[in-house]
Amino acid sequence: LFPGVRQAQWLTKTKLVEGLPPAVQGVVDNPALGLQELEERAKHAVSHARLWDTAEVAPKREQYCPVLFENLIHICRLMSGKYPSLSKRMLARNCRIAATWERESILLQVRGLSGILLNSLTPIPPVASKEEILATKEHVLETFYPIAPTIDLQEVNVYKELNDTGQCFRDGYPYSHPHTLFFLECANVRTDRFRPEQLRAKMLMFAFGSALAKAKALHGNDPKVLEQPVVVQSIGTDGQLFQFMVFQLNTTDLVSNDGVKNLVWIDSDQNLYEKAQCVPEVRKRVVTKPAGISGFQPDTFKKFLALYLHGTV
Amino acid sequence: MAALGARRLLRPGRRWFSESVPSAPSPPASPLYPPVVASVTAKSKAAKSRRLQRFTQRVHAAATVEEKLRLYGKLQRPKYMVYPQTFALNADRWYRSFTKTVLVPGMPPRAAAAKPTVAAAGATPEAGRAPGPGAEAPAAADAPGAAKVPETAKSSEPAAGAAPYLNIGELRSLVCDALLQESFYQKKKRPFLYRDQDHTPGPFLTQLVSTLAASLSSRNPLLAASSLDLNPEVNYYWHHGEEVVVHGYRKGRVDPVRFQIDDNPHLQIRVPKQLPEVVPLESDLGDVPVIDHKPSQLPLFKKQYENKVFIGSKVADPCCYGHTQFHLLPDKLKRERFIRERREDQIEVVYRSNGIASLFAWTAAQAMYQGFWSEADVTRPFVSQAVVTDGKYFAFFCYQLNTLALTAETTKNNPRKNICWGTDSKPLYDVVEDGNVKGFNDEVLLQLVRFLLNRPKEL
């Protein structure tokens, strides 16, 4: 109904920056990574997921979306041959996120199955510099008067305020820093899937939730401006379109509307490929569209890999 | 002939007995009558063999592999469904007889492969050996509590690879982390009824294989080009032996016995290059069990449906050879059940039958993807590996496919047999409590690492 990201921004006291942060962009442009050879493998990964994975003619989205994600993650993980510190990561599936916070006297809570979470041993260093963080003080959050900012949110009686470090892991877990959250929109029917705008809002809320829970675990429950901002990344896809997001939590003081704001960099609607033709299209005995993947964009995969490598490279 | 006779009558001066055959034209280029062969449509044995011959010619002449596979499995008839994970008693003997496989206990000897052997912890690297590539040494030194391990290759190292240090401590910590995350640290709901395997061992196996494969990919360039499938489908359809149709409108006819394996391994790794052969193609390492009963006595049941041959992805995929499969035994076949029913000997049978059937189906399907089939037997052996586990106990299998010719006619003069090497199941750890893994077994980990490091000799 409503442009979701703007609402999510208000709820999480965040300033939006278009495009990826310069640190990640630097990883993308780094020639030492050898991203050219990986293009071929990425193309094979896409072809495998979209064309070759099933004994039937064409796989459905419920099948190809997770397979595509697994293939891309497999290619990214194989880079740990070059960067051994990449092996200090663990993938956790089906984890539940929970975080609560107050926003101008409204108690908000984020709960739910967040999809797939990548944890790492070491946290991601802050992406924005101190000046940028202070500059957000000037930024004014847009309000949607007369629409209340909590529109379309479910009102629930909360008896226990849960702050489960967002990851439902016990203490002493070595890989305690959330690195990246992955969201896969796999439903076959288009109405069951989130639209890109809503997906971005969902990504923002969950990234904020896990960052907040981590910050509270590290620095305690008092609202304050964080010395070491917590950075959590997020990638959402429906099998073809990718949304990339880097969220930096600068403050847990969310009650007031002024002061330092959180930052989010969003790179939205990146197509990995244009079309995947399973059977060649033939009009009047002439093949008009051959079978295969057309319009492959290597940049999208490079961004995916850059977000994966961010923090260790 | 009629013309010749007429010419004789017309020319009476010619002598009768000097037959002038040469005036006839030279023997015609093609025979005047078509060859005398059996009919195609008659109800006779000769017609049946002629139809079979036409079918084999059609398959031989097929242009693409997809066309060959389509013709091979075109005719649908009731066939036995062979389940790799089965509770049937002594199923591995039956499966060996269906697939003409010889079971050799233990792992195949790896003579010339550069497998680093692990000395005891605390051994110092030999002074004379050149250290590994620069990136290896600092990385190994960074890992906490790492035990530096010298490599003692039995044969000369290929010039490309320097001495690789296999850091068992680091790999062990990776495995323990994966195990602890799945079983201890991550808060999960209680497992669903009879779905214990999906709750902890399944995710643990996925994590284990993906992290181990990633960290070993620097040593094994084949892994770096591999493709990992989660929950793929592997199917194979073949004929073996003959039987007489018991009832129905085809009663009394002699039919081949048809089998189909439909398998879903938990995880599999496919690679673009084939694994090297373990023993030469014509080796004979044992006997194939002969079973006098019908397959339905196992128990095995017949159904008629699509004849699929599939390795996990279609023919167009460049990663068309198999490397390793990982199978997870379901709750129905867990050890405690067998011990409760006082059938301890069947525990190993479960692992073996799973290994043999799944690997036969996979290697045979790989061979069919390369164009071989029962009438065109393989010219090189196809090798694949598998790990069968129930979360704690691991059994390792290596399969070499030497022959696809299992039908009644082709198997008569075929001395080749398929070979399967297999180990018994051993536990990886004893118990997990309080965030510690107790009783970790390094041998199992080493065997797993050896499996993942397997690669062709050129690489």
Side-chain angles (χ1 to χ4, degrees):
Chain A
L1 165 62
F2 204 88
V5 180
R6 284 163 58 189
Q7 181 181 18
Q9 274 181 264
W10 189 92
L11 289 171
T12 59
K13 200 173 164 189
T14 311
K15 177 174 171 223
L16 171 66
V17 180
E18 289 289 335
L20 286 175
V24 180
Q25 200 62 42
V27 179
V28 173
D29 299 326
N30 188 355
L33 288 177
L35 291 175
Q36 299 305 114
E37 305 95 65
L38 291 179
E39 265 182 49
E40 191 60 38
R41 309 218 36 227
K43 219 168 166 189
H44 281 319
V46 173
S47 311
H48 172 252
R50 276 312 295 263
L51 306 174
W52 302 326
D53 186 42
T54 167
E56 288 117 43
V57 177
K60 297 247 176 314
R61 195 181 290 261
E62 270 164 355
Q63 195 178 356
Y64 75 69
C65 192
V67 170
L68 177 62
F69 168 70
E70 291 298 331
N71 288 346
L72 294 176
I73 285 282
H74 183 59
I75 300 179
C76 296
R77 256 200 297 252
L78 288 177
M79 297 283 285
S80 68
K82 263 199 214 163
Y83 304 100
S85 45
L86 273 185
S87 55
K88 306 274 184 289
R89 305 263 186 99
M90 271 299 169
L91 210 59
R93 293 163 207 265
N94 297 331
C95 48
R96 317 187 80 88
I97 295 251
T100 50
W101 70 99
E102 260 202 36
R103 193 79 183 87
E104 283 202 357
S105 75
I106 313 169
L107 192 62
L108 298 165
Q109 192 181 60
V110 159
R111 292 258 203 132
L113 271 177
S114 86
I116 307 174
L117 173 63
L118 183 66
N119 291 315
S120 77
L121 204 58
T122 51
I124 311 181
V127 175
S129 58
K130 290 262 191 262
E131 296 82 21
E132 285 180 22
I133 301 175
L134 290 173
T136 58
K137 273 196 193 167
E138 326 300 328
H139 175 78
V140 173
L141 290 173
E142 57 174 314
T143 50
F144 330 109
Y145 192 80
I147 307 181
T150 50
I151 191 173
D152 280 344
L153 293 179
Q154 196 184 19
E155 193 172 311
V156 161
N157 283 331
V158 173
Y159 301 108
K160 268 196 302 191
E161 283 186 16
L162 266 186
N163 250 318
D164 261 326
T165 71
Q167 299 127 302
C168 63
F169 293 111
R170 292 199 212 186
D171 298 325
Y173 182 51
Y175 300 90
S176 55
H177 297 268
H179 186 272
T180 316
L181 286 159
F182 298 96
F183 296 93
L184 306 176
E185 294 297 316
C186 301
N188 267 336
V189 182
R190 180 144 52 98
T191 40
D192 289 341
R193 295 198 290 269
F194 274 69
R195 275 174 285 123
E197 180 71 34
Q198 297 168 331
L199 181 60
R200 288 198 285 275
K202 178 165 104 160
M203 283 159 60
L204 180 52
M205 296 304 289
F206 278 109
F208 172 77
S210 59
L212 185 68
K214 183 71 205 159
K216 286 195 180 166
L218 282 178
H219 305 289
N221 270 342
D222 317 314
K224 59 176 182 228
V225 177
L226 297 176
E227 282 299 321
Q228 286 288 359
V230 177
V231 178
V232 173
Q233 299 172 142
S234 180
I235 301 182
T237 175
D238 66 350
Q240 188 164 350
L241 271 178
F242 278 76
Q243 327 279 343
F244 301 107
M245 201 176 77
V246 181
F247 178 80
Q248 173 164 326
L249 186 76
N250 296 323
T251 168
T252 50
D253 175 19
L254 299 158
V255 180
S256 63
N257 251 337
D258 333 306
V260 175
K261 315 272 186 308
N262 305 314
L263 283 165
V264 71
W265 290 261
I266 295 192
D267 207 3
S268 47
D269 292 339
Q270 306 285 313
N271 238 338
L272 185 57
Y273 54 92
E274 288 300 326
K275 191 145 168 50
Q277 195 81 18
C278 292
V279 186
E281 192 178 305
V282 180
R283 288 279 161 93
K284 296 193 189 170
R285 310 268 183 92
V286 171
V287 177
T288 44
K289 286 188 207 165
I293 304 285
S294 63
F296 180 70
Q297 304 271 4
D299 290 325
T300 317
F301 174 67
K302 283 186 195 165
K303 288 181 191 165
F304 187 96
L305 185 58
L307 280 181
Y308 185 85
L309 295 174
H310 184 215
T312 52
V313 168
Chain B
M1 286 318 214
L4 214 52
R7 231 176 283 153
R8 279 206 207 115
L9 289 170
L10 285 173
R11 285 188 242 153
R14 277 246 193 232
R15 305 284 274 248
W16 177 247
F17 45 80
S18 62
E19 299 192 330
S20 49
V21 167
S23 65
S26 49
S30 59
L32 286 174
Y33 293 106
V36 178
V37 282
S39 140
V40 178
T41 48
K43 191 176 171 186
S44 64
K45 291 201 182 76
K48 177 97 190 279
S49 68
R50 175 126 188 267
R51 283 195 291 269
L52 270 178
Q53 209 185 30
R54 277 162 62 109
F55 169 70
T56 51
Q57 269 165 12
R58 254 183 98 188
V59 178
H60 279 300
T64 60
V65 175
E66 284 102 338
E67 183 61 24
K68 254 195 205 166
L69 290 177
R70 189 188 73 87
L71 289 173
Y72 178 74
K74 197 163 98 141
L75 180 62
Q76 279 190 20
R77 290 256 192 259
K79 55 192 175 179
Y80 286 111
M81 296 178 295
V82 177
Y83 292 100
Q85 294 177 336
T86 171
F87 48 77
L89 300 180
N90 291 327
D92 69 323
R93 272 197 76 226
W94 291 78
Y95 287 0
R96 271 184 282 151
S97 83
F98 296 152
T99 62
K100 208 174 172 191
T101 310
V102 171
L103 182 68
V104 177
M107 273 288 115
R110 297 195 188 275
K115 291 294 171 290
T117 56
V118 183
T124 51
E126 295 166 4
R129 284 230 174 251
E136 298 271 26
D142 283 343
K148 272 280 185 126
V149 172
E151 189 253 350
T152 55
K154 292 183 197 117
S155 61
S156 57
E157 274 283 1
Y165 290 99
L166 195 61
N167 201 331
I168 283 295
E170 198 174 319
L171 295 173
R172 193 191 302 135
S173 66
L174 274 180
V175 173
C176 290
D177 279 337
L179 187 54
L180 287 172
Q181 175 187 327
E182 290 308 328
S183 46
F184 183 69
Y185 281 123
Q186 188 168 358
K187 286 186 198 156
K188 301 184 191 177
K189 294 188 151 174
R190 280 175 52 187
F192 197 72
L193 184 62
Y194 298 133
R195 293 242 189 275
D196 276 319
Q197 297 296 89
D198 295 339
H199 186 252
T200 309
F204 162 58
L205 194 59
T206 320
Q207 284 277 23
L208 173 73
V209 176
S210 34
T211 41
L212 271 186
S215 54
L216 290 173
S217 62
S218 57
R219 261 172 239 286
N220 190 353
L222 198 62
L223 274 185
S226 66
S227 171
L228 189 71
D229 300 333
L230 291 189
N231 213 11
E233 210 187 312
V234 173
N235 310 77
Y236 186 61
Y237 167 75
W238 78 103
H239 297 179
H240 179 68
E242 271 181 344
E243 65 173 359
V244 178
V245 178
V246 170
H247 76 292
Y249 73 94
R250 303 184 74 235
K251 179 171 172 179
R253 302 183 204 190
V254 174
D255 246 8
V257 182
R258 291 167 274 260
F259 298 91
Q260 166 93 36
I261 292 185
D262 295 316
D263 185 26
N264 289 94
H266 187 75
L267 195 7
Q268 76 181 17
I269 301 178
R270 279 176 301 113
V271 286
K273 292 206 179 56
Q274 203 178 342
L275 287 176
E277 64 173 33
V278 184
V279 286
L281 194 57
E282 305 281 346
S283 5
D284 187 356
L285 294 180
D287 287 320
V288 179
V290 173
I291 299 190
D292 297 326
H293 307 282
K294 281 180 73 161
S296 55
Q297 305 277 340
L298 174 58
L300 221 52
F301 299 99
K302 279 196 171 182
K303 201 162 92 156
Q304 175 174 325
Y305 58 103
E306 194 195 339
N307 301 327
K308 270 208 270 196
V309 176
F310 194 62
I311 63 167
S313 73
K314 292 190 187 158
V315 186
D317 200 333
C319 292
C320 51
Y321 295 104
H323 189 269
T324 319
Q325 269 183 343
F326 291 84
H327 295 267
L328 191 64
L329 290 181
D331 254 345
K332 229 201 280 195
L333 301 172
K334 55 187 182 188
R335 293 179 100 92
E336 293 82 28
R337 270 186 73 151
F338 283 109
I339 295 175
R340 214 183 326 136
E341 290 165 19
R342 286 192 288 247
R343 288 215 174 270
E344 286 89 357
D345 48 337
Q346 298 296 319
I347 297 179
E348 292 304 321
V349 166
V350 165
Y351 288 87
R352 281 201 293 259
S353 59
N354 196 353
I356 292 176
S358 310
L359 281 175
F360 170 74
W362 206 28
T363 46
Q366 289 167 42
M368 286 211 81
Y369 270 34
Q370 303 303 313
F372 301 110
W373 60 297
S374 45
E375 303 290 330
D377 211 355
V378 293
T379 51
R380 57 185 195 276
F382 282 77
V383 173
S384 287
Q385 303 166 134
V387 177
V388 184
T389 172
D390 70 343
K392 190 167 154 193
Y393 287 84
F394 283 70
F396 299 91
F397 295 92
C398 178
Y399 196 92
Q400 171 163 330
L401 184 84
N402 292 324
T403 174
L404 273 182
L406 301 169
T407 57
E409 306 90 48
T410 48
T411 208
K412 271 186 221 151
N413 300 325
N414 188 11
R416 300 190 202 168
K417 298 171 196 162
N418 304 320
I419 310 173
C420 180
W421 288 267
T423 63
D424 285 342
S425 57
K426 296 196 187 69
L428 180 66
Y429 59 93
D430 277 338
V431 69
V432 176
E433 46 182 53
D434 286 342
N436 287 322
V437 177
K438 300 220 163 84
F440 195 87
N441 189 350
D442 271 346
E443 284 170 25
V444 176
L445 177 61
L446 216 55
Q447 182 64 275
L448 190 57
V449 167
R450 261 188 230 129
F451 259 29
L452 287 174
L453 287 178
N454 199 1
R455 59 189 183 276
K457 297 205 180 56
E458 319 65 78
L459 283 182

